[in-house]
Amino acid sequence: MAQKTQQERILALLKRNARISTQEIADRLNLTPAKAEAAIKKLEEEGIVRGYTALIANDTETITRAIIEVQIQPERDTGFDKVAQQICKFDEVVSAYLISGRYDLHLEVVGKSLQEVAHFVASKLSTQPGVKSCSTLFLLKKYKESGIELEKEEKYERLKISL
């Protein structure tokens, strides 16, 4: 297996912890802080790194998340792109992917409640030109996101029986 490039190693560190300091990246990769900073700036300018985010634990979230699979009628010349780009403009849509299988788009959607997400699907998403059908799955609990386990495994201890 080929060794990772400097760029790939920097990206791996940023994926794991977007708040890692330039100094720590430099130390871990045997670079000067100036070279590490220049490499990160280049990744941002090239659009490879497009932003930084925080993962929020389940118990602090007050939003409802849903996965919505959407079947689309592709348009002549633009295929799925035009419809997908229109759907991405909605604030409720936090992620959108073109997928293979029965459905064409995989959306991650947020709202303040189940009713708000349902209202989005009924009044905004399903009424879009080119949308043929939708399947909505509400997320009940997150265990792992972006490669990070959100809950530590609880240690199971069997109850002692006393006679």
Side-chain angles (χ1 to χ4, degrees), residues 9-39:
R9 293 186 314 215
I10 290 172
L11 289 171
L13 290 171
L14 289 172
K15 273 183 174 177
R16 185 76 180 138
N17 178 6
R19 294 186 63 182
I20 189 171
S21 70
T22 306
Q23 181 65 53
E24 189 171 343
I25 290 173
D27 291 345
R28 287 184 180 208
L29 301 182
N30 240 359
L31 301 171
T32 65
K35 281 189 177 183
E37 190 170 329

PDB file of all heavy atoms in Angstrom, residues 9-39:
ATOM      1  N   ARG A   9      -2.276  13.284   4.860  1.00  0.00           N
ATOM      2  CA  ARG A   9      -2.057  13.202   6.308  1.00  0.00           C
ATOM      3  C   ARG A   9      -2.639  14.422   7.012  1.00  0.00           C
ATOM      4  O   ARG A   9      -3.229  14.304   8.084  1.00  0.00           O
ATOM      5  CB  ARG A   9      -0.570  13.020   6.614  1.00  0.00           C
ATOM      6  CG  ARG A   9      -0.065  11.652   6.121  1.00  0.00           C
ATOM      7  CD  ARG A   9       1.341  11.411   6.533  1.00  0.00           C
ATOM      8  NE  ARG A   9       2.169  12.596   6.283  1.00  0.00           N
ATOM      9  CZ  ARG A   9       3.434  12.581   5.915  1.00  0.00           C
ATOM     10  NH1 ARG A   9       4.060  11.451   5.759  1.00  0.00           N
ATOM     11  NH2 ARG A   9       4.103  13.694   5.718  1.00  0.00           N
ATOM     12  N   ILE A  10      -2.495  15.604   6.415  1.00  0.00           N
ATOM     13  CA  ILE A  10      -3.082  16.816   6.994  1.00  0.00           C
ATOM     14  C   ILE A  10      -4.599  16.700   7.003  1.00  0.00           C
ATOM     15  O   ILE A  10      -5.245  17.006   8.005  1.00  0.00           O
ATOM     16  CB  ILE A  10      -2.618  18.081   6.227  1.00  0.00           C
ATOM     17  CG1 ILE A  10      -1.141  18.342   6.509  1.00  0.00           C
ATOM     18  CG2 ILE A  10      -3.470  19.294   6.612  1.00  0.00           C
ATOM     19  CD1 ILE A  10      -0.529  19.453   5.665  1.00  0.00           C
ATOM     20  N   LEU A  11      -5.166  16.234   5.896  1.00  0.00           N
ATOM     21  CA  LEU A  11      -6.624  16.068   5.828  1.00  0.00           C
ATOM     22  C   LEU A  11      -7.118  15.079   6.874  1.00  0.00           C
ATOM     23  O   LEU A  11      -8.159  15.297   7.499  1.00  0.00           O
ATOM     24  CB  LEU A  11      -7.056  15.630   4.428  1.00  0.00           C
ATOM     25  CG  LEU A  11      -6.944  16.689   3.340  1.00  0.00           C
ATOM     26  CD1 LEU A  11      -7.193  16.075   1.962  1.00  0.00           C
ATOM     27  CD2 LEU A  11      -7.898  17.843   3.596  1.00  0.00           C
ATOM     28  N   ALA A  12      -6.401  14.005   7.089  1.00  0.00           N
ATOM     29  CA  ALA A  12      -6.792  13.011   8.096  1.00  0.00           C
ATOM     30  C   ALA A  12      -6.799  13.634   9.491  1.00  0.00           C
ATOM     31  O   ALA A  12      -7.717  13.399  10.283  1.00  0.00           O
ATOM     32  CB  ALA A  12      -5.861  11.802   8.046  1.00  0.00           C
ATOM     33  N   LEU A  13      -5.796  14.446   9.788  1.00  0.00           N
ATOM     34  CA  LEU A  13      -5.749  15.109  11.098  1.00  0.00           C
ATOM     35  C   LEU A  13      -6.895  16.103  11.256  1.00  0.00           C
ATOM     36  O   LEU A  13      -7.515  16.177  12.313  1.00  0.00           O
ATOM     37  CB  LEU A  13      -4.403  15.823  11.286  1.00  0.00           C
ATOM     38  CG  LEU A  13      -3.189  14.915  11.478  1.00  0.00           C
ATOM     39  CD1 LEU A  13      -1.901  15.729  11.428  1.00  0.00           C
ATOM     40  CD2 LEU A  13      -3.285  14.143  12.784  1.00  0.00           C
ATOM     41  N   LEU A  14      -7.187  16.877  10.213  1.00  0.00           N
ATOM     42  CA  LEU A  14      -8.276  17.852  10.276  1.00  0.00           C
ATOM     43  C   LEU A  14      -9.639  17.173  10.378  1.00  0.00           C
ATOM     44  O   LEU A  14     -10.538  17.673  11.051  1.00  0.00           O
ATOM     45  CB  LEU A  14      -8.239  18.786   9.063  1.00  0.00           C
ATOM     46  CG  LEU A  14      -7.090  19.796   9.032  1.00  0.00           C
ATOM     47  CD1 LEU A  14      -7.059  20.520   7.698  1.00  0.00           C
ATOM     48  CD2 LEU A  14      -7.205  20.781  10.183  1.00  0.00           C
ATOM     49  N   LYS A  15      -9.803  16.024   9.702  1.00  0.00           N
ATOM     50  CA  LYS A  15     -11.074  15.283   9.795  1.00  0.00           C
ATOM     51  C   LYS A  15     -11.308  14.816  11.226  1.00  0.00           C
ATOM     52  O   LYS A  15     -12.417  14.840  11.725  1.00  0.00           O
ATOM     53  CB  LYS A  15     -11.052  14.050   8.881  1.00  0.00           C
ATOM     54  CG  LYS A  15     -11.476  14.292   7.493  1.00  0.00           C
ATOM     55  CD  LYS A  15     -11.471  12.952   6.775  1.00  0.00           C
ATOM     56  CE  LYS A  15     -12.014  13.013   5.406  1.00  0.00           C
ATOM     57  NZ  LYS A  15     -11.923  11.696   4.743  1.00  0.00           N
ATOM     58  N   ARG A  16     -10.258  14.352  11.848  1.00  0.00           N
ATOM     59  CA  ARG A  16     -10.377  13.819  13.208  1.00  0.00           C
ATOM     60  C   ARG A  16     -10.623  14.924  14.225  1.00  0.00           C
ATOM     61  O   ARG A  16     -11.368  14.753  15.177  1.00  0.00           O
ATOM     62  CB  ARG A  16      -9.090  13.050  13.557  1.00  0.00           C
ATOM     63  CG  ARG A  16      -9.141  12.370  14.878  1.00  0.00           C
ATOM     64  CD  ARG A  16      -9.994  11.132  14.799  1.00  0.00           C
ATOM     65  NE  ARG A  16     -10.020  10.513  16.116  1.00  0.00           N
ATOM     66  CZ  ARG A  16     -11.093  10.010  16.667  1.00  0.00           C
ATOM     67  NH1 ARG A  16     -12.225  10.014  16.036  1.00  0.00           N
ATOM     68  NH2 ARG A  16     -11.044   9.464  17.849  1.00  0.00           N
ATOM     69  N   ASN A  17      -9.978  16.095  14.014  1.00  0.00           N
ATOM     70  CA  ASN A  17     -10.133  17.208  14.941  1.00  0.00           C
ATOM     71  C   ASN A  17      -9.888  18.505  14.173  1.00  0.00           C
ATOM     72  O   ASN A  17      -8.744  18.909  13.975  1.00  0.00           O
ATOM     73  CB  ASN A  17      -9.148  17.081  16.109  1.00  0.00           C
ATOM     74  CG  ASN A  17      -9.239  18.241  17.072  1.00  0.00           C
ATOM     75  OD1 ASN A  17     -10.098  19.109  16.954  1.00  0.00           O
ATOM     76  ND2 ASN A  17      -8.330  18.274  18.035  1.00  0.00           N
ATOM     77  N   ALA A  18     -10.957  19.166  13.778  1.00  0.00           N
ATOM     78  CA  ALA A  18     -10.845  20.401  12.995  1.00  0.00           C
ATOM     79  C   ALA A  18     -10.217  21.540  13.793  1.00  0.00           C
ATOM     80  O   ALA A  18      -9.784  22.526  13.216  1.00  0.00           O
ATOM     81  CB  ALA A  18     -12.216  20.824  12.467  1.00  0.00           C
ATOM     82  N   ARG A  19     -10.141  21.406  15.097  1.00  0.00           N
ATOM     83  CA  ARG A  19      -9.557  22.453  15.943  1.00  0.00           C
ATOM     84  C   ARG A  19      -8.099  22.188  16.276  1.00  0.00           C
ATOM     85  O   ARG A  19      -7.500  22.921  17.066  1.00  0.00           O
ATOM     86  CB  ARG A  19     -10.371  22.580  17.232  1.00  0.00           C
ATOM     87  CG  ARG A  19     -11.778  23.088  16.938  1.00  0.00           C
ATOM     88  CD  ARG A  19     -12.532  23.362  18.184  1.00  0.00           C
ATOM     89  NE  ARG A  19     -11.845  24.437  18.917  1.00  0.00           N
ATOM     90  CZ  ARG A  19     -12.241  24.897  20.087  1.00  0.00           C
ATOM     91  NH1 ARG A  19     -13.292  24.399  20.667  1.00  0.00           N
ATOM     92  NH2 ARG A  19     -11.576  25.852  20.691  1.00  0.00           N
ATOM     93  N   ILE A  20      -7.509  21.183  15.662  1.00  0.00           N
ATOM     94  CA  ILE A  20      -6.106  20.893  15.918  1.00  0.00           C
ATOM     95  C   ILE A  20      -5.277  22.120  15.524  1.00  0.00           C
ATOM     96  O   ILE A  20      -5.556  22.774  14.512  1.00  0.00           O
ATOM     97  CB  ILE A  20      -5.651  19.616  15.163  1.00  0.00           C
ATOM     98  CG1 ILE A  20      -4.258  19.189  15.600  1.00  0.00           C
ATOM     99  CG2 ILE A  20      -5.720  19.815  13.649  1.00  0.00           C
ATOM    100  CD1 ILE A  20      -3.844  17.816  15.051  1.00  0.00           C
ATOM    101  N   SER A  21      -4.293  22.433  16.322  1.00  0.00           N
ATOM    102  CA  SER A  21      -3.488  23.627  16.037  1.00  0.00           C
ATOM    103  C   SER A  21      -2.505  23.352  14.903  1.00  0.00           C
ATOM    104  O   SER A  21      -2.100  22.209  14.663  1.00  0.00           O
ATOM    105  CB  SER A  21      -2.722  24.061  17.291  1.00  0.00           C
ATOM    106  OG  SER A  21      -1.699  23.120  17.583  1.00  0.00           O
ATOM    107  N   THR A  22      -2.130  24.420  14.237  1.00  0.00           N
ATOM    108  CA  THR A  22      -1.123  24.316  13.177  1.00  0.00           C
ATOM    109  C   THR A  22       0.173  23.773  13.757  1.00  0.00           C
ATOM    110  O   THR A  22       0.848  22.965  13.120  1.00  0.00           O
ATOM    111  CB  THR A  22      -0.890  25.697  12.530  1.00  0.00           C
ATOM    112  OG1 THR A  22      -2.147  26.204  12.097  1.00  0.00           O
ATOM    113  CG2 THR A  22       0.038  25.606  11.343  1.00  0.00           C
ATOM    114  N   GLN A  23       0.508  24.193  14.971  1.00  0.00           N
ATOM    115  CA  GLN A  23       1.727  23.717  15.636  1.00  0.00           C
ATOM    116  C   GLN A  23       1.687  22.205  15.825  1.00  0.00           C
ATOM    117  O   GLN A  23       2.663  21.509  15.564  1.00  0.00           O
ATOM    118  CB  GLN A  23       1.906  24.409  16.994  1.00  0.00           C
ATOM    119  CG  GLN A  23       3.160  23.980  17.745  1.00  0.00           C
ATOM    120  CD  GLN A  23       4.447  24.374  17.039  1.00  0.00           C
ATOM    121  OE1 GLN A  23       4.620  25.536  16.704  1.00  0.00           O
ATOM    122  NE2 GLN A  23       5.326  23.417  16.786  1.00  0.00           N
ATOM    123  N   GLU A  24       0.525  21.686  16.270  1.00  0.00           N
ATOM    124  CA  GLU A  24       0.419  20.233  16.480  1.00  0.00           C
ATOM    125  C   GLU A  24       0.509  19.476  15.161  1.00  0.00           C
ATOM    126  O   GLU A  24       1.134  18.418  15.095  1.00  0.00           O
ATOM    127  CB  GLU A  24      -0.875  19.880  17.217  1.00  0.00           C
ATOM    128  CG  GLU A  24      -0.910  18.430  17.641  1.00  0.00           C
ATOM    129  CD  GLU A  24      -2.061  18.072  18.552  1.00  0.00           C
ATOM    130  OE1 GLU A  24      -2.679  18.980  19.133  1.00  0.00           O
ATOM    131  OE2 GLU A  24      -2.342  16.857  18.677  1.00  0.00           O
ATOM    132  N   ILE A  25      -0.121  20.008  14.106  1.00  0.00           N
ATOM    133  CA  ILE A  25      -0.001  19.370  12.783  1.00  0.00           C
ATOM    134  C   ILE A  25       1.464  19.346  12.363  1.00  0.00           C
ATOM    135  O   ILE A  25       1.979  18.320  11.902  1.00  0.00           O
ATOM    136  CB  ILE A  25      -0.869  20.103  11.733  1.00  0.00           C
ATOM    137  CG1 ILE A  25      -2.354  19.861  12.029  1.00  0.00           C
ATOM    138  CG2 ILE A  25      -0.519  19.645  10.323  1.00  0.00           C
ATOM    139  CD1 ILE A  25      -3.301  20.670  11.167  1.00  0.00           C
ATOM    140  N   ALA A  26       2.150  20.469  12.534  1.00  0.00           N
ATOM    141  CA  ALA A  26       3.570  20.550  12.181  1.00  0.00           C
ATOM    142  C   ALA A  26       4.385  19.529  12.969  1.00  0.00           C
ATOM    143  O   ALA A  26       5.221  18.808  12.399  1.00  0.00           O
ATOM    144  CB  ALA A  26       4.087  21.964  12.428  1.00  0.00           C
ATOM    145  N   ASP A  27       4.143  19.440  14.278  1.00  0.00           N
ATOM    146  CA  ASP A  27       4.878  18.496  15.122  1.00  0.00           C
ATOM    147  C   ASP A  27       4.639  17.053  14.692  1.00  0.00           C
ATOM    148  O   ASP A  27       5.572  16.257  14.590  1.00  0.00           O
ATOM    149  CB  ASP A  27       4.484  18.663  16.592  1.00  0.00           C
ATOM    150  CG  ASP A  27       4.959  19.975  17.197  1.00  0.00           C
ATOM    151  OD1 ASP A  27       5.827  20.650  16.586  1.00  0.00           O
ATOM    152  OD2 ASP A  27       4.444  20.342  18.277  1.00  0.00           O
ATOM    153  N   ARG A  28       3.386  16.712  14.446  1.00  0.00           N
ATOM    154  CA  ARG A  28       3.047  15.325  14.084  1.00  0.00           C
ATOM    155  C   ARG A  28       3.600  14.914  12.720  1.00  0.00           C
ATOM    156  O   ARG A  28       3.880  13.746  12.498  1.00  0.00           O
ATOM    157  CB  ARG A  28       1.529  15.131  14.089  1.00  0.00           C
ATOM    158  CG  ARG A  28       0.937  15.104  15.470  1.00  0.00           C
ATOM    159  CD  ARG A  28      -0.534  14.825  15.388  1.00  0.00           C
ATOM    160  NE  ARG A  28      -1.134  14.794  16.696  1.00  0.00           N
ATOM    161  CZ  ARG A  28      -2.199  14.090  16.991  1.00  0.00           C
ATOM    162  NH1 ARG A  28      -2.801  13.369  16.066  1.00  0.00           N
ATOM    163  NH2 ARG A  28      -2.710  14.117  18.207  1.00  0.00           N
ATOM    164  N   LEU A  29       3.703  15.880  11.806  1.00  0.00           N
ATOM    165  CA  LEU A  29       4.125  15.552  10.439  1.00  0.00           C
ATOM    166  C   LEU A  29       5.558  15.979  10.143  1.00  0.00           C
ATOM    167  O   LEU A  29       6.004  15.929   9.006  1.00  0.00           O
ATOM    168  CB  LEU A  29       3.166  16.186   9.426  1.00  0.00           C
ATOM    169  CG  LEU A  29       1.705  15.762   9.560  1.00  0.00           C
ATOM    170  CD1 LEU A  29       0.857  16.411   8.470  1.00  0.00           C
ATOM    171  CD2 LEU A  29       1.564  14.249   9.506  1.00  0.00           C
ATOM    172  N   ASN A  30       6.270  16.400  11.176  1.00  0.00           N
ATOM    173  CA  ASN A  30       7.663  16.812  11.018  1.00  0.00           C
ATOM    174  C   ASN A  30       7.819  17.973  10.030  1.00  0.00           C
ATOM    175  O   ASN A  30       8.656  17.940   9.134  1.00  0.00           O
ATOM    176  CB  ASN A  30       8.525  15.625  10.568  1.00  0.00           C
ATOM    177  CG  ASN A  30       9.620  15.315  11.536  1.00  0.00           C
ATOM    178  OD1 ASN A  30       9.760  15.990  12.547  1.00  0.00           O
ATOM    179  ND2 ASN A  30      10.398  14.299  11.227  1.00  0.00           N
ATOM    180  N   LEU A  31       6.980  18.979  10.186  1.00  0.00           N
ATOM    181  CA  LEU A  31       7.014  20.167   9.335  1.00  0.00           C
ATOM    182  C   LEU A  31       7.267  21.387  10.203  1.00  0.00           C
ATOM    183  O   LEU A  31       7.085  21.348  11.415  1.00  0.00           O
ATOM    184  CB  LEU A  31       5.662  20.361   8.627  1.00  0.00           C
ATOM    185  CG  LEU A  31       5.140  19.259   7.731  1.00  0.00           C
ATOM    186  CD1 LEU A  31       3.704  19.559   7.322  1.00  0.00           C
ATOM    187  CD2 LEU A  31       6.014  19.135   6.499  1.00  0.00           C
ATOM    188  N   THR A  32       7.605  22.478   9.550  1.00  0.00           N
ATOM    189  CA  THR A  32       7.647  23.743  10.281  1.00  0.00           C
ATOM    190  C   THR A  32       6.212  24.251  10.366  1.00  0.00           C
ATOM    191  O   THR A  32       5.381  23.936   9.501  1.00  0.00           O
ATOM    192  CB  THR A  32       8.516  24.793   9.557  1.00  0.00           C
ATOM    193  OG1 THR A  32       7.895  25.113   8.315  1.00  0.00           O
ATOM    194  CG2 THR A  32       9.930  24.291   9.334  1.00  0.00           C
ATOM    195  N   PRO A  33       5.883  25.041  11.384  1.00  0.00           N
ATOM    196  CA  PRO A  33       4.533  25.603  11.463  1.00  0.00           C
ATOM    197  C   PRO A  33       4.159  26.406  10.212  1.00  0.00           C
ATOM    198  O   PRO A  33       3.014  26.353   9.769  1.00  0.00           O
ATOM    199  CB  PRO A  33       4.583  26.486  12.713  1.00  0.00           C
ATOM    200  CG  PRO A  33       5.627  25.857  13.563  1.00  0.00           C
ATOM    201  CD  PRO A  33       6.665  25.351  12.591  1.00  0.00           C
ATOM    202  N   ALA A  34       5.106  27.118   9.634  1.00  0.00           N
ATOM    203  CA  ALA A  34       4.841  27.905   8.429  1.00  0.00           C
ATOM    204  C   ALA A  34       4.442  27.004   7.258  1.00  0.00           C
ATOM    205  O   ALA A  34       3.523  27.321   6.494  1.00  0.00           O
ATOM    206  CB  ALA A  34       6.048  28.754   8.065  1.00  0.00           C
ATOM    207  N   LYS A  35       5.140  25.855   7.111  1.00  0.00           N
ATOM    208  CA  LYS A  35       4.805  24.920   6.016  1.00  0.00           C
ATOM    209  C   LYS A  35       3.439  24.282   6.244  1.00  0.00           C
ATOM    210  O   LYS A  35       2.667  24.098   5.310  1.00  0.00           O
ATOM    211  CB  LYS A  35       5.876  23.840   5.875  1.00  0.00           C
ATOM    212  CG  LYS A  35       7.111  24.301   5.150  1.00  0.00           C
ATOM    213  CD  LYS A  35       8.038  23.149   4.843  1.00  0.00           C
ATOM    214  CE  LYS A  35       9.219  23.653   4.050  1.00  0.00           C
ATOM    215  NZ  LYS A  35      10.131  22.575   3.657  1.00  0.00           N
ATOM    216  N   ALA A  36       3.133  23.943   7.487  1.00  0.00           N
ATOM    217  CA  ALA A  36       1.827  23.362   7.799  1.00  0.00           C
ATOM    218  C   ALA A  36       0.723  24.369   7.510  1.00  0.00           C
ATOM    219  O   ALA A  36      -0.297  24.037   6.902  1.00  0.00           O
ATOM    220  CB  ALA A  36       1.784  22.913   9.260  1.00  0.00           C
ATOM    221  N   GLU A  37       0.927  25.611   7.941  1.00  0.00           N
ATOM    222  CA  GLU A  37      -0.070  26.657   7.705  1.00  0.00           C
ATOM    223  C   GLU A  37      -0.269  26.909   6.208  1.00  0.00           C
ATOM    224  O   GLU A  37      -1.399  27.049   5.742  1.00  0.00           O
ATOM    225  CB  GLU A  37       0.363  27.949   8.396  1.00  0.00           C
ATOM    226  CG  GLU A  37      -0.718  28.997   8.416  1.00  0.00           C
ATOM    227  CD  GLU A  37      -0.361  30.177   9.297  1.00  0.00           C
ATOM    228  OE1 GLU A  37       0.349  29.991  10.299  1.00  0.00           O
ATOM    229  OE2 GLU A  37      -0.816  31.287   8.977  1.00  0.00           O
ATOM    230  N   ALA A  38       0.829  26.929   5.446  1.00  0.00           N
ATOM    231  CA  ALA A  38       0.743  27.135   3.995  1.00  0.00           C
ATOM    232  C   ALA A  38      -0.005  25.976   3.326  1.00  0.00           C
ATOM    233  O   ALA A  38      -0.818  26.194   2.416  1.00  0.00           O
ATOM    234  CB  ALA A  38       2.135  27.284   3.397  1.00  0.00           C
ATOM    235  N   ALA A  39       0.244  24.755   3.793  1.00  0.00           N
ATOM    236  CA  ALA A  39      -0.425  23.587   3.212  1.00  0.00           C
ATOM    237  C   ALA A  39      -1.929  23.628   3.489  1.00  0.00           C
ATOM    238  O   ALA A  39      -2.737  23.332   2.602  1.00  0.00           O
ATOM    239  CB  ALA A  39       0.184  22.301   3.767  1.00  0.00           C
TER     240      ALA A  39
END
